[in-house]
Amino acid sequence: MKNRKVPKFFIKNNMQKSNITGVYFENIISRDDLSVICYDLTGQRDFLYEFVDNEYEDEFLSKSYNKGRLGILRYFDKVFYISFSDISNKGRNSALQSVPTAFNLFFTNKYKNKELYFYFLPNSINNTTNYHIFMYRLMASIGFSFLNIPDKLKGYIKPFSSIDDLILSRKENSNKNSGNNATYIVKNGNNSYDIYGKTYGANKYDTSLICYAICSIAQKHDSITLFEYNEQDLSELPESSLNVLRIMGNINIINIDDELELRELRKNNSIRSPRFNARLLDRFGEKKCILCCCEISEIIQGAHLWPVSEIKNRKDLSLEQKVYYATDGENGLWMCQNHHKLFDSNIIIISENGKINYKDNIERNYKDFLDNITTNFELPSFIVTHKFQEYIKLRNELITQNL
Ligand SMILES: [Zn+2]
């Protein structure tokens, strides 16, 4: 690489949609921005800059539009990757969609003497929500340094110290009791963590960034699995993201597909189906026992209403139908291990109207104990759907048969 005694910026001028919008990088990045950045990174006042077209290529930029909203600054044998904030405001996470791409390009380039930065363009908007702070902290965790931090964000952008720290911060800032996140991080026992990540649409940016951060801060003894979760199609994370995760090397990547679910069903009676878990996360949000509100993720399980052992025994169902019932989100509830066992032992019984009861003729001291550990005696109405009632009916018919 040519040794540059005067710092020089190379910035691809075209954005993905410049042809339509008429907005190019030379319209949004001023000479003042570049001057500040150059002085911060090199201590030099004099610099050169060039907005290059799609055809331009060198060892840091390929023939294409500006992926990752990146500028490359070269000075002697040093290379600085600078990702610029998005000044548009098209939706919750559109502003940071280019960040994983910028990281991918930085991370996979083999050049050694490189550094990664983020620069807030002066006219950035709407970038101080809890969601954004969380995303900036993910960026700090994977090695982004921030060249300038808006006043409202000062003191907030620091890397996560551990996966538990990351999970806690996310919980505190997210809308509790609601599902529909792009990504869920579940802590199991023994330093094992499962990431349930949606891979379609804009979700894939969140999922990629969360996985990068978790892999970056993981300790040696942590075991991490990414379950790629799709309801709408069979897509995976983009190849560029998967490539980064493979290089990081400390994450096991599993696509939740039909074959996986068929295998699980054949193997396990007490099904540990990733699809079932993903659907419960989507339906109920983070793990929390429906009967006592316990949130200790390590002891919370997906409890089936119509038991998997019974579904498997039904001779009138095809294997595909069995998988359908065993993984249906409406056929399940989150329960702590205590309540799950009590439910499966038919000591606690849920009726079709969503009311919680104990079995008949229960001993006095049993009842006192159950009263002590149980806080909810009626399920919220959104849970008591028609399908839910069908599953409960099938379950409760079994209890009657066995009496
Ligand atoms: Zn419980």
Side-chain angles (χ1 to χ4, degrees), residues 177-181 184 186 196 229 231 271 273-288 290 300-305 325-335 340 382-383 388:
N177 306 325
S178 85
N180 238 337
N181 275 338
Y184 290 94
V186 175
Y196 290 87
Y229 171 45
E231 288 289 16
I271 194 170
S273 150
R275 185 176 284 163
F276 182 57
N277 280 315
R279 286 179 174 161
L280 291 185
L281 287 167
D282 243 2
R283 187 157 144 76
F284 302 115
E286 305 284 351
K287 286 186 169 187
K288 180 176 182 178
I290 194 75
I300 300 193
Q301 308 167 328
H304 281 89
L305 308 178
Y325 293 120
T327 59
D328 186 358
E330 286 177 87
N331 186 22
L333 293 166
W334 289 135
M335 287 188 195
H340 192 179
F382 85 92
I383 294 179
F388 172 93

Side-chain angles (χ1 to χ4, degrees), residues 348-387:
I348 284 180
I349 294 160
I350 299 177
S351 57
E352 279 173 56
N353 60 10
K355 293 239 166 43
I356 315 297
N357 303 295
Y358 306 144
K359 72 169 187 180
D360 292 341
N361 305 321
I362 195 165
E363 283 180 42
R364 178 77 233 173
N365 57 342
Y366 280 26
K367 183 179 178 302
D368 289 346
F369 176 77
L370 294 175
D371 282 346
N372 269 327
I373 65 160
T374 310
T375 53
N376 292 344
F377 288 89
E378 183 167 2
L379 299 180
S381 56
F382 85 92
I383 294 179
V384 189
T385 59
H386 178 68
K387 268 167 95 190

Side-chain angles (χ1 to χ4, degrees), residues 15-16 23 25 28-29 68-70 83-99 118-127 132 136 139:
M15 300 185 213
Q16 191 173 12
V23 181
F25 272 93
I28 60 167
I29 297 171
R69 300 181 62 82
L70 271 178
S83 185
F84 295 95
S85 64
D86 197 340
I87 54 173
S88 64
N89 182 21
K90 284 165 292 195
R92 191 179 83 130
N93 59 4
S94 75
L96 293 169
Q97 285 187 4
S98 50
V99 167
F118 189 78
Y119 184 79
F120 287 95
L121 287 167
N123 39 356
S124 303
I125 40 173
N126 189 33
N127 51 20
H132 285 93
Y136 297 138
M139 290 165 64

Side-chain angles (χ1 to χ4, degrees), residues 48-265:
L48 301 165
Y49 64 97
E50 192 179 343
F51 289 97
V52 294
D53 63 20
N54 289 10
E55 286 305 302
Y56 174 90
E57 75 179 321
D58 61 26
E59 56 183 308
F60 305 103
L61 294 170
S62 59
K63 279 191 187 177
S64 88
Y65 64 90
N66 192 328
K67 290 183 176 167
R69 300 181 62 82
L70 271 178
I72 301 286
L73 171 62
R74 290 161 66 163
Y75 182 51
F76 286 97
D77 63 345
K78 272 206 136 170
V79 175
F80 304 93
Y81 283 69
I82 302 128
S83 185
F84 295 95
S85 64
D86 197 340
I87 54 173
S88 64
N89 182 21
K90 284 165 292 195
R92 191 179 83 130
N93 59 4
S94 75
L96 293 169
Q97 285 187 4
S98 50
V99 167
T101 306
F103 181 77
N104 294 350
L105 292 169
F106 170 80
F107 186 80
T108 53
N109 190 293
K110 298 234 159 56
Y111 190 74
K112 287 275 184 292
N113 204 357
K114 59 182 179 180
E115 292 174 11
L116 181 61
Y117 291 90
F118 189 78
Y119 184 79
F120 287 95
L121 287 167
N123 39 356
S124 303
I125 40 173
N126 189 33
N127 51 20
T128 57
T129 64
N130 283 339
Y131 169 79
H132 285 93
I133 290 172
F134 179 75
M135 297 307 268
Y136 297 138
R137 293 193 66 192
L138 293 178
M139 290 165 64
S141 303
I142 62 177
F144 275 92
S145 299
F146 291 81
L147 283 159
N148 58 343
I149 296 180
D151 284 342
K152 277 190 198 157
L153 292 172
K154 290 217 163 96
Y156 289 105
I157 305 181
K158 44 182 191 277
F160 293 108
S161 58
S162 65
I163 303 178
D164 291 348
D165 179 30
L166 186 156
I167 292 175
L168 187 66
S169 146
R170 189 145 193 266
K171 249 188 206 155
E172 283 169 352
N173 292 322
S174 72
N175 184 5
K176 282 190 179 166
N177 306 325
S178 85
N180 238 337
N181 275 338
T183 317
Y184 290 94
I185 311 155
V186 175
K187 184 178 187 182
N188 309 311
N190 299 327
N191 300 99
S192 137
Y193 299 88
D194 292 339
I195 304 166
Y196 290 87
K198 292 180 188 166
T199 53
Y200 49 85
N203 296 310
K204 60 178 175 279
Y205 304 106
D206 279 33
T207 299
S208 298
L209 207 51
I210 284 177
C211 290
Y212 297 167
I214 286 183
C215 289
S216 300
I217 59 182
Q219 304 292 310
K220 254 199 189 122
H221 51 254
D222 291 333
S223 147
I224 303 156
T225 304
L226 164 65
F227 291 104
E228 295 181 295
Y229 171 45
N230 302 289
E231 288 289 16
Q232 283 144 9
D233 56 42
L234 293 173
S235 71
E236 299 182 288
L237 280 184
E239 187 52 35
S240 52
S241 298
L242 289 174
N243 188 34
V244 166
L245 292 174
R246 284 185 206 114
I247 296 171
M248 287 182 162
N250 56 352
I251 184 168
N252 185 19
I253 303 167
I254 294 174
N255 196 287
I256 302 181
D257 56 17
D258 293 341
E259 234 164 85
L260 171 75
E261 295 299 332
L262 286 168
R263 261 198 328 269
E264 276 294 329
L265 189 71

